[in-house]
Amino acid sequence: GVSPVSPIHVYTPREVYGTVGSRVTLSCSFWSSEWISEDISITWHFQAESSRDTISIFHYAQGQPYIDDVGSFKERMEWAGNPRRRDGSIVIHSLEPTDNGTFTCDVKNPP
């Protein structure tokens, strides 16, 4: 048999503005009719305005935040979320002009 699948609804602001040198919080809240499991994972991706490539910049898995060791964010990122509160937000410090682009928050709640 096939196990039923319940969607997770993920909410992020359409646009977030920040000034060079300041910090910005990228909010990511989510809702599911299912219990939030201990195996929940949250991944943030970034696509620079001038690029077609998307890179992974942050993971939360097995109760731990992991900042990916690639790109210009690794020294400037902070985990601000709390999965028990259905929050997967991150903070980016010392904004740079090259931070302009699309950030995507992806939440998975297995099984």
Side-chain angles (χ1 to χ4, degrees), residues 8 46 51 53-54 65 68 73 75 78-79 83 88 91 103 109 111:
I8 292 184
F46 172 68
S51 174
D53 297 329
T54 300
D68 286 29
F73 297 105
E75 304 292 327
E78 174 189 349
W79 168 238
V91 177
F103 293 84
N109 187 31

Side-chain angles (χ1 to χ4, degrees), residues 55-69:
I55 61 166
S56 171
I57 59 171
F58 176 87
H59 294 289
Y60 177 92
Q62 295 161 342
Q64 293 294 317
Y66 300 97
I67 295 169
D68 286 29
D69 205 21

Side-chain angles (χ1 to χ4, degrees), residues 12-18 23-27 44 95 100-101 103:
T12 57
R14 183 167 171 78
E15 291 189 352
V16 176
Y17 296 94
R23 59 179 260 175
V24 69
T25 299
L26 300 179
S27 300
W44 278 91
L95 288 175
N100 207 10
F103 293 84

Side-chain angles (χ1 to χ4, degrees), residues 3-106:
S3 58
V5 175
S6 297
I8 292 184
H9 302 275
V10 178
Y11 304 95
T12 57
R14 183 167 171 78
E15 291 189 352
V16 176
Y17 296 94
T19 53
V20 171
S22 71
R23 59 179 260 175
V24 69
T25 299
L26 300 179
S27 300
C28 172
S29 59
F30 53 91
W31 184 88
S32 173
S33 60
E34 297 298 314
W35 176 75
I36 301 300
S37 86
E38 292 298 314
D39 292 331
I40 190 164
S41 68
I42 300 165
T43 304
W44 278 91
H45 296 93
F46 172 68
Q47 181 180 9
E49 196 174 50
S50 58
S51 174
R52 289 176 25 193
D53 297 329
T54 300
I55 61 166
S56 171
I57 59 171
F58 176 87
H59 294 289
Y60 177 92
Q62 295 161 342
Q64 293 294 317
Y66 300 97
I67 295 169
D68 286 29
D69 205 21
V70 294
S72 65
F73 297 105
K74 63 184 176 206
E75 304 292 327
R76 303 183 290 123
M77 201 173 331
E78 174 189 349
W79 168 238
N82 182 338
R84 287 194 181 96
R85 292 193 178 132
R86 295 169 167 74
D87 181 2
S89 302
I90 58 173
V91 177
I92 298 176
H93 296 272
S94 305
L95 288 175
E96 300 172 358
T98 53
D99 295 342
N100 207 10
T102 301
F103 293 84
T104 308
C105 176
D106 182 28

